[in-house]
Every structure is written in C-alpha cells, then in structure tokens.
Amino acid sequence: MSYDPSENIAKVKCPVMAINGSLDTQVISATNLGTIRRLLPGNKRNLLKEYPGLNHLFQHCQTGSVAEYSKIEETLSAEVLQDIADWINGIK
C-alpha cells in the first residue's frame, strides 16, 4: 500500500494500455488514469481509456460495489476484450 509507482511510470518506454471502469470502487478511474496520463512519457501507441458503467473487473454493473460481482453474469465486457485485441495487434 505504500508503494508509489510515479518514478517507474515516468521511465516507461514501451507502449502502455491503461484502462479503468468508471464504476471501479477499488481503483478510482479519474485519479488513476489522470496520474498515468500526467507521468507516462508520450507514445503514439499508448492507450489510456475509461469505460463508462464498468467495474473493477470490467463488467457492466449498477454500482461498482464488490458485493455486486457475484451477481453479474458477464465475465468481461466484449468492448474491453476487443480493445485489448486491437491494441495488441496495432503495436506489431
């Protein structure tokens, strides 16, 4: 919990895909992506994206609460899976 990745993020040279769900209650999207965006060196192949209505597990949800996880049938949003595949294929 005391680890601060700021120095390491600033040194990254490879393309980065950093994603969050807007309803993630474990990692606050605006804070996380904002910090990564501020610290990460520019790279045209970076992808930083917030997914509206998704939780920490990238599932569509109502509240984002951990208690809701077991009630959601979706394993992972199809949009997230497609973006991961497209991003990987795009950095070849």
Side-chain angles (χ1 to χ4, degrees), residues 5-19 31-49 87:
S6 299
E7 188 175 319
N8 297 90
I9 292 170
K11 293 178 182 178
V12 171
K13 297 193 182 344
C14 64
V16 170
M17 180 177 187
I19 58 177
T31 303
N32 189 54
L33 291 176
T35 300
I36 292 170
R37 187 172 282 112
R38 181 174 50 84
L39 295 171
L40 189 65
N43 184 323
K44 66 181 179 178
R45 294 187 276 174
N46 288 346
L47 173 63
L48 282 71
K49 183 173 180 178
W87 182 78

Side-chain angles (χ1 to χ4, degrees), residues 1-5 26-27:
M1 298 298 281
S2 63
Y3 172 67
D4 179 359
Q26 295 175 65
V27 179

